[in-house]
Amino acid sequence: MVYDKIENIELYKGLSDDIYAGLKYLKDLSPDIAPGTYELTPRVKALVSEYTTKEVNDNGYEAHRQFIDIQYLISGTEKICCLPLDYLKESKPYKEDIDAAFYEENGVKPQDHLLGNGYFAIFFPQDGHMPQLCDGNPEQVKKVVIKVKIGNC
């Protein structure tokens, strides 16, 4: 997992051309972008959505096998809880059509990260993450999730 400010994206240029393309897109993004799906390259797409954060995410933690997530808020703030899969217990098995398995906590306190104010997070397949949580009171947010295809998926 990576958690950093968007102004530091040059630090991640060598990580992957696809990840860097996603980060550059976020850095140059207009706050007026409409919700929807945007193809950036054949291996990278941006999903823009608006919703209200919540106190509890009923799905629990999620993890992906086909895509790396880069998550970034255009407006508002959101808390994301994170734990490596080794510390989570699977609650719903992996489904290829949604590229997700779901998990619940297994006695280990998660790390909490606050997205918004220019911070982004990158989640790899081993990173369980529970997004869409409020930090205090629920609020309306606008979020971009960059989906970066892994390997030959």
Side-chain angles (χ1 to χ4, degrees), residues 116-133:
N117 300 312
Y119 279 88
F120 68 91
I122 304 174
F123 299 103
F124 297 92
Q126 69 274 15
D127 300 324
H129 52 285
M130 183 172 18
Q132 301 185 355
L133 300 174

Side-chain angles (χ1 to χ4, degrees), residues 106-122:
N106 196 18
V108 176
K109 183 176 169 31
Q111 294 179 326
D112 294 342
H113 296 286
L114 197 59
L115 293 185
N117 300 312
Y119 279 88
F120 68 91
I122 304 174

Side-chain angles (χ1 to χ4, degrees), residues 32-128:
D32 298 328
I33 189 169
T37 301
Y38 301 85
E39 185 173 316
L40 309 183
T41 75
R43 300 178 51 76
V44 183
K45 62 184 172 182
L47 309 175
V48 180
S49 61
E50 295 178 303
Y51 54 86
T52 301
T53 57
K54 46 196 162 189
E55 292 182 21
V56 176
N57 184 328
D58 293 331
N59 289 322
Y61 293 81
E62 61 186 62
H64 313 288
R65 295 181 187 169
Q66 297 179 44
F67 291 90
I68 293 166
D69 274 6
I70 305 171
Q71 299 195 15
Y72 181 78
L73 267 76
I74 299 170
S75 65
T77 57
E78 170 180 311
K79 181 173 75 171
I80 296 185
C81 296
C82 312
L83 275 171
L85 293 185
D86 291 344
Y87 296 107
L88 295 169
K89 178 182 168 189
E90 188 175 82
S91 58
K92 295 178 188 169
Y94 178 77
K95 291 179 131 185
E96 189 171 348
D97 61 327
I98 61 170
D99 184 38
F102 294 95
Y103 301 83
E104 57 191 35
E105 290 179 14
N106 196 18
V108 176
K109 183 176 169 31
Q111 294 179 326
D112 294 342
H113 296 286
L114 197 59
L115 293 185
N117 300 312
Y119 279 88
F120 68 91
I122 304 174
F123 299 103
F124 297 92
Q126 69 274 15
D127 300 324

